[in-house]
Amino acid sequence: MKLWEGRFEKPSAKSLEEFNDSLPFDKELWQADIKGSLAHAEMLFNCGILSEADYTLIAKGLDEIARDITSGKLTVKGAEDIHSFIENELTVRVGEAGKKLHTARSRNDQVATDFRIYVLSAYKTLGEKLQGLIRALLVKAKEGLKLIMPGYTHLRKAQPMCAGHFFNAYSEMFLRDLERLAQSKKRASVCPLGSGALAGTSYPIDRFMTAEKLGFEKPCENSLDGVSDRDFAAEYLFDCSLIMAHLSRLCEDIILYSAEEFGYFEISDEYSTGSSIMPQKKNPDIPELIRGKTGRVYGHLMGILTTVKGIPLAYNKDLQEDKEGLFDAKKQTENCVFVMAELLLNISFKEENMFKAAGGDFCCATDVADYLAKKGVPFRTAHAVTGKIVRSCIEKNMTLQDMTAGDYKKFSEYFEDDIVEKVKAENCAAARTSYGGASPERVKENIKSIKKRLKKFN
Ligand code: ARG
């Protein structure tokens, strides 16, 4: 039964129903819809708009519907949307009282409320998963405290660093994401219920009561905006997109560092895949898939932004297109965050390779220049002298660590015997003790601070 069929002489065309109906996907909102209806009915009763007898029947009916959907006894199908489905089902179960539930309400404020309830709970789940990911990164950062690896710029070896620094960098990104989720959630915590179709209602409703019962911070202050606003959906999708961007960067690093050419990380067999033709292959499908899904989540963000951009106030059916992308983005992002945490715990380090690479390819050249500059040579001059040393090493097929103190002294009178020690990769990393730097001591501090900031979200 349609909620609006009274005005129509003929039934809807089959093709219209197939095209128009949202039940196949908005059934995802069934719990939010029942929750919203229960709060609405209770408020109507409290405000004297619904009798106690009717309210009792409605509340009992809605509870039973929830129980039957959960147990599988009731299948959600055969209606235009989830709101119609539940209202129809209620009326079948409790009779006339069910027909009073929609008093002082429109599907426009109902769907806006349901969707917000859904998004608020999605924030909670995603936040919990992100916390798990940061905990996994902390495990790796701690393991990395003893290890040295090269840091890169332009994907060329740049400077040696304590390997924990790498994992902490990603923890910082995901901590920002966690904070962003909390801030976005707060902004989304505004209840549109009671906005009616667009202009509010003439019934003496209490919007503060429903807002509070549903766990919102407050009711929205403008009914026209209340039914039209989908900023909260766009913002959730943006938050997912940025999380995916961070995951995707981490994936790229993992893929590179586990490749033969780098050989720093080894992904366990359980988290790797093989090739149907090349027997030797061990492929990083998991991080590749997460990287791939990033595009899909961005797509959903573009989708919602484009959907809302041209529609006049207030509700238009275009807004029905706000849901499927978000449902998918939620599922994909949550999965990716969860899988990444598992993947990290299944990565081991090839310590020798990391260490060798950290000293190789003139990774310690900055430290040679700094050595001279600290002795009073202007940094630009020290840079030029070190550049000459590098060039000479390349010609002689030598590393900075192969050079003796005597070799160094030929390039500048400021070099002393200690340069040989200073130029070792572990010493270069250890020397980066500036606040936020890559020395093990600073990395340890960073781990402590990340743990402390993470605790705030529990
Ligand atoms: N299925 C609709 C949606 O998702 C519910 C709101 C319907 N409102 C309306 N005026 N047709 O947007």
Side-chain angles (χ1 to χ4, degrees):
M1 197 192 76
K2 298 268 186 321
L3 298 177
W4 37 263
E5 62 190 16
R7 186 231 177 276
F8 291 80
E9 226 174 87
K10 294 183 187 164
S12 307
K14 194 94 209 96
S15 57
L16 172 131
E17 282 187 345
E18 272 166 23
F19 188 66
N20 188 56
D21 291 359
S22 52
L23 189 64
F25 55 87
D26 70 14
K27 61 182 176 199
E28 178 96 7
L29 296 175
W30 74 265
Q31 282 160 309
D33 195 73
I34 290 180
K35 200 174 158 189
S37 287
L38 278 168
H40 180 65
E42 196 181 341
M43 181 278 291
L44 290 179
F45 164 57
N46 278 315
C47 294
I49 302 165
L50 206 60
S51 72
E52 184 163 9
D54 283 341
Y55 166 60
T56 311
L57 279 173
I58 289 173
K60 207 168 142 263
L62 287 171
D63 279 339
E64 276 171 22
I65 292 172
R67 206 171 325 128
D68 291 350
I69 296 176
T70 307
S71 71
K73 207 168 132 193
L74 177 63
T75 313
V76 182
K77 63 167 201 256
E80 184 184 347
D81 55 26
I82 189 61
H83 326 294
S84 317
F85 174 81
I86 288 170
E87 195 181 316
N88 290 343
E89 186 62 29
L90 182 69
T91 304
V92 168
R93 293 182 183 217
V94 308
E96 289 298 296
K99 296 186 186 168
K100 296 184 183 170
L101 172 63
H102 212 53
T103 312
R105 186 174 75 172
S106 152
R107 271 187 303 165
N108 298 350
D109 59 341
Q110 187 179 358
V111 71
T113 306
D114 290 1
F115 201 22
R116 275 190 198 250
I117 292 173
Y118 182 90
V119 168
L120 289 182
S121 115
Y123 272 123
K124 187 165 180 286
T125 322
L126 187 52
E128 283 162 7
K129 298 219 187 293
L130 267 183
Q131 290 177 38
L133 174 57
I134 297 173
R135 281 194 293 273
L137 283 164
L138 282 167
V139 169
K140 300 317 278 184
K142 207 164 154 226
E143 282 172 34
L145 268 180
K146 320 177 283 299
L147 310 177
I148 307 292
M149 69 183 284
Y152 290 81
T153 66
H154 312 270
L155 200 53
R156 305 289 188 267
K157 274 183 205 155
Q159 292 174 348
M161 59 183 193
C162 165
H165 208 44
F166 168 81
F167 296 99
N168 282 347
Y170 281 101
S171 279
E172 293 289 348
M173 293 177 223
F174 293 120
L175 268 176
R176 284 198 294 278
D177 289 331
L178 256 181
E179 205 174 292
R180 198 173 353 264
L181 293 187
Q183 291 161 345
S184 304
K185 187 177 174 197
K186 190 172 163 51
R187 244 188 311 282
S189 191
V190 174
C191 186
L193 194 59
S195 295
L198 73 160
T201 175
S202 55
Y203 291 95
I205 59 169
D206 185 345
R207 295 196 50 218
F208 288 86
M209 190 185 287
T210 36
E212 202 198 311
K213 280 191 192 312
L214 292 171
F216 287 97
E217 274 190 15
K218 54 185 179 189
C220 67
E221 295 193 31
N222 181 306
S223 62
L224 203 54
D225 178 49
V227 292
S228 319
D229 174 23
R230 292 296 182 273
D231 292 4
F232 65 97
E235 201 168 335
Y236 174 78
L237 284 164
F238 172 76
D239 293 350
C240 288
S241 295
L242 200 52
I243 290 169
M244 291 303 298
H246 294 151
L247 283 176
S248 192
R249 292 185 80 168
L250 177 54
C251 287
E252 180 62 16
D253 276 331
I254 292 172
I255 293 164
L256 285 172
Y257 294 167
S258 61
E260 293 86 352
E261 285 75 3
F262 287 77
Y264 308 155
F265 294 173
E266 176 82 34
I267 303 175
S268 75
D269 280 5
E270 297 103 298
Y271 280 78
S272 302
T273 46
S275 155
S276 62
I277 176 172
M278 297 164 283
Q280 86 283 11
K281 291 285 289 245
K282 189 172 166 186
N283 292 330
D285 284 27
I286 298 289
E288 285 169 358
L289 207 46
I290 296 176
R291 193 177 57 185
K293 284 176 189 288
T294 304
R296 175 167 164 184
V297 175
Y298 288 5
H300 296 318
L301 171 63
M302 289 308 131
I304 186 91
L305 290 172
T306 313
T307 295
V308 297
K309 93 181 227 313
I311 54 178
L313 290 180
Y315 179 85
N316 298 263
K317 196 59 173 260
D318 314 41
L319 289 177
Q320 182 164 287
E321 286 296 303
D322 59 359
K323 295 173 200 64
E324 281 171 285
L326 189 140
F327 294 158
D328 183 58
K330 168 182 155 41
K331 188 171 147 200
Q332 300 306 327
T333 311
E334 282 176 7
N335 263 347
C336 289
V337 171
F338 178 76
V339 168
M340 176 53 87
E342 292 219 328
L343 176 69
L344 282 168
L345 298 174
N346 278 279
I347 286 176
S348 56
F349 299 117
K350 292 179 163 172
E351 305 183 10
E352 279 286 293
N353 291 351
M354 288 164 83
F355 183 73
K356 240 175 92 192
D361 298 301
F362 309 102
C363 232
C364 299
T366 314
D367 301 85
V368 175
D370 285 342
Y371 179 97
L372 292 176
K374 282 175 194 163
K375 305 232 159 168
V377 179
F379 181 77
R380 201 42 61 214
T381 312
H383 185 290
V385 171
T386 310
K388 283 200 186 96
I389 296 173
V390 169
R391 189 145 37 89
S392 137
C393 280
I394 293 171
E395 276 160 17
K396 295 184 188 135
N397 199 17
M398 279 169 79
T399 69
L400 290 176
Q401 290 75 21
D402 293 336
M403 300 243 305
T404 62
D407 294 335
Y408 277 106
K409 285 174 188 171
K410 280 182 210 141
F411 288 90
S412 166
E413 58 190 307
Y414 289 93
F415 282 119
E416 290 175 54
D417 291 349
D418 63 347
I419 180 65
V420 178
E421 274 302 306
K422 286 264 155 63
V423 87
K424 286 184 177 163
E426 66 272 32
N427 294 335
C428 296
R432 295 215 154 66
T433 53
S434 54
Y435 183 74
S439 72
E441 174 194 332
R442 286 300 191 185
V443 172
K444 217 168 164 175
E445 254 176 40
N446 196 189
I447 290 179
K448 238 173 111 182
S449 154
I450 289 164
K451 277 188 182 158
K452 199 169 145 202
R453 282 177 280 156
L454 182 60
K455 258 206 179 127
K456 284 197 308 205
F457 293 96
N458 279 329

